[in-house]
Amino acid sequence: MADTVNNALEPRLDRRGFLKGCTMAAAALGLSEAMIPKMVEAAASAERPRVIWLHFQECTGCTESLLRSSHPDLARLLLDIISLDYHETVMAAAGHQAEQNLHETVDKHPFLLVVEGAIPTKDNGIYCKIAGKTAMDILKTVAPKATAIIAIGTCATFGGVQAAAPNPTGAVGVQDLVSGKPIVNIPGCPPNPVSFLGTVLHYLTFKKLPALDKLNRPLFAYGRRIHDHCERRAHFDEGRFVENFGDQGHKLGYCLYKVGCKGPETFSNCPAVRFNDVDVWPVSVGHGCVGCTEPNFWDTMTPFYERLPNVKIPATGIIDSADRVGKTVLGVTAAAVGIHAVVGIGKRLIKGKSEE
Amino acid sequence: MAQRITIDPITRIEGHLRIDVEVDGGKVTKAWSSGQMYRGLETILQGRDPRDAWLFVQRICGVCTTVHALASVRSVENALGLEIPYNAQMIRNLVQSIHCLHDHIVHFYALSALDWVDVVSALSADPAKTAALAESLSDWHGNSPKRFAAVKAKVKALVDSGQLGPFANAYWGHSAMKLPPEANLMAVSHYLEALDYQRKATQALAIIGGKNPHIQNLTVGGVTTNLNPENQTAVTMERLYYIKQLVEEVASFIKNVYLVDVVAVGALYAGWIPYGPGVTNYLAAPDMFLDAAGTKADLPGGTVFGGDLKTIKPINAHADAYFKENVQESIAKAWYDGNWMKHPWESTTEPKFTDFQDNGKYSWLKAPRFQGKPMQVGPLAQMVVGYAQGHEMTVKSVNSFLDRVSAVAGTKVGPEALHGTIGRHAARAVRAGMMADLALKHWGLLVENISKGDYEIFRPWSYPKGEQRGVGVHEAPRGLLSHWIVIENGKIKNYQCVVPSTWNAGPRDDKDQLGPYEASLIGNPIADPEKPLEVLRTIHSFDPCIACAVHMLDPKGKEVIKVKAL
């Protein structure tokens, strides 16, 4: 694989290439050549967009997933693409100097807010405190000033593992507490970094959020069921199943539905984009999907090793029943989140202003 | 007059940690370590299927991803008396060792190097002299004048942009920063290079685990990673050799860059060697088992008390009685109702938040004790107990490291130098080198077994009636981890995790014995109370993981939360 750090250290474009790029862009936009110097100036003096990343009730797995990304890799992301002004796991400053960095950006600059982790609401939120303030209070201060919010991971989107029954700390996701702001949900436990980075790059390039589904998930990453792109789908359709891990069917790569795979009810790009740039995903190592991009999957998808109820097994290759299951489930999840604020698909952001 | 300093948040760690110290005459005289988050995962597990537990508890931590998963499946197998196939043990060993390579590299570079390395000072380094320095230490291919010049230009561009991002407002230029500009530039270059090599380790891990962080190839009774050299959906020889190649590349980085940088930091900061020993009772578990039953291990376990190697008592097998019977947790200073010490299988508690009380309760972390004593766990503990029992690989690796430090420092540095802040970094680097060798060894054992035609990865089982108790013990990158489970009629009745960072970051106990973080801070120098860099150095040397450390169970009086829009 490529040496990404050395690539990141190379100058991005020489001046000649840069001017050529600007000329082409101007032509594409129908601008006169007189506009080119202005474009050059704007591009050269442009600040890197500021990002504030808040950690609440979480395991840092979403941050860790970014460490594993390769396009862009973390060095390139941090040095060339964005200005990560606050991120507890990465930043060099600590204590009040760290908090000063947070307030400097929140008070004086436009920024994109990323939230990792759920927000505990029980007992006035005492179950998560940073610099003496509860997660609830921090979100209350920072969210209204953000240009847009990306909730990364199933904790920040739907409450995640700490919100599983009986939800001892009253953990909720960002969209349960914040309204009037564009929110994009990137669920997954943790999500594939390509889904998060794809959203950020889309936003930075087009200055608007990608098209979203009813759960505020980008369609480019959550628009299809796992079951629909699974390489084992043919075995499902033909009724060839793994009955036990390690059995003959397992050795031959049969469908994992009977040992608990939740692919028929889960919307995600896992089988298409796969993980870690080594062409793998859970099903490829013989384990079923656990449904981690769906709301409340810790309760609705468990026990993980029992088969999903109400899925008709196509013993003779009946494709119909599987597709019908998908439609039913989509209806259920959409209804379940009807209470949440829903951002319109592809709605344009108004910088610095909130949008009802 | 003593001055109180609160550092909240402690950054470059996992989780939410607050450290308070009192400083008098330029030294720390009192210290408090306080976990600031609680999630209640063990409560959530009650009544669920024990097979699912590993997927839940893996979400305790995404940095220590894999460790809770491994400990959890072991706890259920221990409770039910299941023996997994040899291949499954080897695959789990690969998971353990390869994850460890990633974890130790990330900890040294991303999470702690900036306590010792001044990024801004690198701007005044001469790239040619930097290359000369680097080449005197190692023949790593990445140490060229051209690369160092490129890194310097990159840092300069960042500083000139006025947007320092994650490097803003740190302790640059602090009087405790001692490295010459060339050493700083070398380290910054390696900081960036480490990002590539940690990724390679996670790729090797993903080939076995399906994805990473949070692998998805374990199951109670074995693994799901399908071994079948004759089928394209399984792990074939091509996949296995891909793993080997990635691990070899990472091993080379560890031996030629990471270990060398820690030698350099240790030698150039020799004045820091005496600081931060704190609790010198050590506890480590045996791991990297060579047999399915968990009785023969490549990593040694045991206890040492008071830093005296002669007190060594080895622990040789998984779930050894000497370990199992001597663990208790105190909640005297933790935000839970009551004041007792209990064995993890017996614990029942309720949260009771009181705010931060210097002489009362002040943390969500409990205080684990072994025979009533605080214990330090982690790579240093493992090196100490291995060294004390003459474990060949440990003795050889530690001595070789000390010889190199002695050569650079120009003075003899012996194993006693390991008890402290610098020593914890040294032990972690040495352990990373050992784990790289062990990963390749266990890869060989797996391939050798497959070549005999044995592809078994899982043995079917079913739940017995009645109650069973089990413990899953695992030597994680941050130290000894144990999961304690009580199963009743196929459901979880009680689940408790006693975690490395709870051993190290836990608060005082009922006898006011300090936890290891707290004890290690006592006597630390503080040059500038406004910029307590020295506190970060000692705390980071433990590699804190606070999401892991906080856990509890059974809060009563659940109420329905009414969510309000802010």
Side-chain angles (χ1 to χ4, degrees):
Chain A
M1 87 168 255
D3 179 346
T4 50
V5 166
N6 280 330
N7 286 343
L9 291 172
E10 274 171 22
R12 274 171 289 175
L13 272 178
D14 60 22
R15 187 160 173 83
R16 210 168 131 202
F18 181 60
L19 283 171
K20 194 177 164 197
C22 288
T23 309
M24 287 165 69
L29 294 168
L31 301 174
S32 76
E33 284 201 14
M35 289 297 288
I36 295 172
K38 279 199 168 173
M39 285 185 69
V40 173
E41 191 191 348
S45 66
E47 282 204 326
R48 300 196 309 288
R50 293 170 189 271
V51 175
I52 285 178
W53 188 301
L54 296 176
H55 286 89
F56 295 136
Q57 275 181 314
E58 44 79 39
C59 77
T60 315
C62 300
T63 288
E64 281 278 336
S65 77
L66 269 196
L67 261 181
R68 285 137 172 91
S69 72
S70 60
H71 50 283
D73 62 274
L74 193 66
R76 188 184 299 254
L77 182 73
L78 298 189
L79 299 177
D80 291 342
I81 300 174
I82 62 164
S83 179
L84 187 61
D85 289 359
Y86 186 88
H87 186 299
E88 282 186 71
T89 324
V90 178
M91 69 194 303
H96 65 88
Q97 281 94 355
E99 292 313 288
Q100 206 181 343
N101 290 1
L102 174 65
H103 296 302
E104 177 77 15
T105 298
V106 169
D107 294 343
K108 297 184 185 161
H109 302 281
F111 62 92
L112 181 67
L113 173 62
V114 180
V115 178
E116 177 177 354
I119 302 100
T121 58
K122 188 178 169 185
D123 301 327
N124 297 316
I126 54 161
Y127 299 104
C128 180
K129 286 176 119 181
I130 302 142
K133 298 188 196 74
T134 63
M136 274 168 92
D137 282 342
I138 294 167
L139 191 64
K140 202 184 216 167
T141 311
V142 177
K145 299 202 172 167
T147 309
I149 302 173
I150 299 181
I152 185 171
T154 301
C155 299
T157 52
F158 308 125
V161 67
Q162 48 274 314
N167 193 354
T169 62
V172 299
V174 174
Q175 65 184 2
D176 293 314
L177 294 173
V178 177
S179 56
K181 278 285 163 188
I183 298 174
V184 183
N185 284 330
I186 313 285
C189 195
N192 196 319
V194 304
S195 304
F196 172 75
L197 290 167
T199 303
V200 172
L201 295 174
H202 185 109
Y203 174 70
L204 296 181
T205 308
F206 301 126
K207 309 294 179 215
K208 65 178 185 183
L209 297 172
L212 307 175
D213 73 2
K214 286 180 178 170
L215 295 170
N216 293 343
R217 305 179 294 194
L219 291 175
F220 78 82
Y222 302 90
R224 297 278 290 170
R225 281 185 308 160
I226 284 199
H227 199 49
D228 298 338
H229 287 292
C230 181
E231 67 263 25
R232 300 189 184 209
R233 176 62 184 267
H235 292 300
F236 175 87
D237 293 344
E238 298 298 329
R240 292 189 291 263
F241 294 99
V242 175
E243 303 288 338
N244 252 319
F245 296 123
D247 69 9
Q248 190 59 19
H250 194 248
K251 282 193 174 65
L252 295 173
Y254 286 0
C255 175
L256 294 159
Y257 165 71
K258 284 190 174 180
V259 285
C261 185
K262 307 299 185 273
E265 294 188 0
T266 304
F267 285 76
S268 184
N269 54 0
C270 305
V273 301
R274 300 182 172 237
F275 288 86
N276 302 76
D277 293 321
V278 287
D279 201 32
V280 294
W281 68 299
V283 168
S284 76
V285 295
H287 195 289
C289 160
V290 296
C292 74
T293 57
E294 296 301 320
N296 308 321
F297 80 97
W298 294 106
D299 292 326
T300 59
M301 301 290 191
T302 48
F304 289 126
Y305 296 98
E306 299 295 333
R307 69 181 73 168
L308 281 169
N310 308 320
V311 174
K312 194 170 169 191
I313 298 176
T316 52
I318 306 163
I319 302 168
D320 257 359
S321 57
D323 284 332
R324 216 163 30 236
V325 167
K327 280 173 197 153
T328 314
V329 171
L330 180 62
V332 170
T333 43
V337 295
I339 52 162
H340 296 140
V342 175
V343 175
I345 289 174
K347 197 175 272 186
R348 212 181 153 78
L349 294 176
I350 301 168
K351 254 194 175 175
K353 278 188 183 173
S354 66
E355 197 175 38
E356 290 304 322
Chain B
M1 172 83 190
Q3 184 177 358
R4 172 76 167 241
I5 307 172
T6 300
I7 312 174
D8 182 11
I10 295 280
T11 51
R12 280 180 286 128
I13 64 164
E14 197 299 323
H16 304 295
L17 177 68
R18 163 180 167 175
I19 295 287
D20 287 51
V21 290
E22 270 183 26
V23 180
D24 204 349
K27 300 248 179 222
V28 173
T29 51
K30 284 185 181 173
W32 294 263
S33 161
S34 170
Q36 292 283 304
M37 182 184 80
Y38 155 71
R39 294 193 292 170
L41 284 183
E42 290 138 318
T43 309
I44 291 164
L45 282 172
Q46 286 174 31
R48 293 184 188 262
D49 188 330
R51 290 178 297 174
D52 290 354
W54 76 270
L55 285 151
F56 279 81
V57 296
Q58 185 169 217
R59 272 69 185 182
I60 288 174
C61 186
V63 178
C64 317
T65 177
T66 78
V67 310
H68 294 287
L70 289 165
S72 181
V73 287
R74 279 184 179 169
S75 73
V76 182
E77 287 155 5
N78 180 254
L80 303 180
L82 308 176
E83 193 171 300
I84 61 172
Y86 179 83
N87 284 333
Q89 187 73 286
M90 291 302 118
I91 286 173
R92 290 182 185 180
N93 288 346
L94 285 178
V95 167
Q96 164 173 14
S97 50
I98 297 171
H99 168 241
C100 171
L101 307 182
H102 165 262
D103 198 300
H104 289 345
I105 290 172
V106 169
H107 174 257
F108 182 70
Y109 289 101
L111 303 180
S112 59
L114 301 182
D115 299 341
W116 309 91
V117 173
D118 189 328
V119 176
V120 176
S121 149
L123 288 175
S124 33
D126 174 351
K129 283 187 193 162
T130 306
L133 166 72
E135 280 165 11
S136 75
L137 296 167
S138 147
D139 55 3
W140 179 245
H141 57 75
N143 290 336
S144 69
K146 207 173 156 188
R147 179 178 163 91
F148 290 132
V151 171
K152 187 179 165 182
K154 198 78 202 175
V155 174
K156 186 167 185 312
L158 187 78
V159 173
D160 288 349
S161 78
Q163 286 185 286
L164 281 172
F167 305 107
N169 215 6
Y171 303 144
W172 315 129
H174 193 286
S175 65
M177 291 286 197
K178 301 287 190 200
L179 296 186
E182 281 72 25
N184 283 318
L185 178 57
M186 177 181 82
V188 171
S189 177
H190 294 165
Y191 173 99
L192 293 173
E193 227 168 344
L195 291 171
D196 269 358
Y197 285 88
Q198 60 85 24
R199 185 189 310 115
K200 287 176 194 284
T202 62
Q203 290 181 308
L205 188 46
I207 295 171
I208 311 165
K211 68 185 179 74
N212 188 266
H214 293 340
I215 55 168
Q216 205 158 312
N217 70 316
L218 302 184
T219 194
V220 172
V223 297
T224 68
T225 310
N226 183 14
L227 300 173
N228 181 358
E230 316 298 340
N231 189 282
Q232 65 177 18
T233 63
V235 172
T236 58
M237 291 319 288
E238 180 277 325
R239 297 273 96 185
L240 284 165
Y241 273 89
Y242 194 2
I243 292 168
K244 182 165 184 270
Q245 178 183 317
L246 288 163
V247 172
E248 283 169 346
E249 288 175 34
V250 176
S252 174
F253 179 81
I254 287 170
K255 290 176 184 178
N256 295 303
V257 182
Y258 173 23
L259 260 165
V260 177
D261 284 348
V262 177
V263 166
V265 165
L268 295 169
Y269 279 103
W272 254 79
I273 288 176
Y275 295 125
V279 171
T280 53
N281 305 325
Y282 297 101
L283 170 66
D287 216 325
M288 293 296 286
F289 291 109
L290 290 156
D291 57 344
T295 59
K296 275 182 277 178
D298 260 340
L299 283 179
T303 53
V304 162
F305 290 95
D308 180 0
L309 301 188
K310 290 195 287 293
T311 63
I312 178 70
K313 188 158 182 186
I315 300 173
N316 296 319
H318 177 257
D320 183 277
Y322 172 59
F323 169 72
K324 211 159 65 173
E325 288 162 11
N326 284 303
V327 177
Q328 287 186 308
E329 290 192 291
S330 162
I331 58 159
K333 305 295 158 112
W335 285 318
Y336 303 111
D337 199 11
N339 177 4
W340 42 249
M341 277 189 82
K342 281 183 182 171
H343 188 276
W345 276 330
E346 313 299 338
S347 293
T348 52
T349 45
E350 292 178 28
K352 190 179 181 186
F353 184 72
T354 62
D355 229 323
F356 196 104
Q357 300 174 334
D358 286 3
N359 299 312
K361 292 175 181 281
Y362 60 90
S363 179
W364 285 116
L365 275 59
K366 294 178 182 175
R369 296 293 182 258
F370 187 87
Q371 294 180 334
K373 297 187 177 72
M375 307 295 283
Q376 184 180 151
V377 301
L380 176 56
Q382 198 176 57
M383 292 305 120
V384 170
V385 303
Y387 202 86
Q389 58 192 280
H391 179 255
E392 193 186 336
M393 189 184 209
T394 308
V395 172
K396 218 171 122 188
S397 306
V398 169
N399 285 346
S400 151
F401 179 86
L402 293 170
D403 288 346
R404 293 168 82 173
V405 175
S406 304
V408 178
T411 172
K412 178 77 187 156
V413 178
E416 64 289 344
L418 291 174
H419 302 285
T421 297
I422 295 263
R424 277 184 285 274
H425 282 295
R428 192 172 292 109
V430 171
R431 183 173 190 267
M434 285 170 54
M435 288 301 254
D437 289 344
L438 288 177
L440 292 169
K441 176 185 170 181
H442 287 248
W443 180 93
L445 292 173
L446 174 66
V447 170
E448 189 190 332
N449 195 53
I450 296 171
S451 72
K452 292 176 190 158
D454 177 3
Y455 307 148
E456 190 187 17
I457 53 167
F458 173 80
R459 286 182 196 148
W461 55 275
S462 55
Y463 287 114
K465 290 267 176 226
E467 184 184 291
Q468 303 88 32
R469 293 175 168 219
V471 61
V473 190
H474 173 55
E475 186 67 16
R478 287 164 189 75
L480 187 146
L481 167 66
S482 54
H483 283 204
W484 308 76
I485 191 169
V486 182
I487 299 171
E488 193 173 56
N489 298 323
K491 301 275 182 217
I492 296 170
K493 187 178 171 194
N494 194 356
Y495 201 100
Q496 277 283 304
C497 314
V498 184
V499 173
S501 294
T502 323
W503 284 101
N504 286 337
R508 291 156 172 78
D509 56 23
D510 57 337
K511 299 192 194 96
D512 268 329
Q513 300 183 94
L514 303 185
Y517 280 17
E518 298 172 333
S520 69
L521 286 169
I522 306 300
N524 254 229
I526 301 286
D528 177 0
E530 262 300 295
K531 296 178 173 174
L533 172 63
E534 300 90 337
V535 170
L536 290 186
R537 285 182 175 171
T538 290
I539 293 300
H540 282 156
S541 73
F542 286 96
D543 195 358
C545 197
I546 304 307
C548 282
V550 180
H551 61 94
M552 52 77 62
L553 49 86
D554 196 27
K556 298 271 163 51
K558 304 150 200 154
E559 56 187 44
V560 179
I561 305 309
K562 201 163 185 188
V563 177
K564 289 180 195 152
L566 292 178

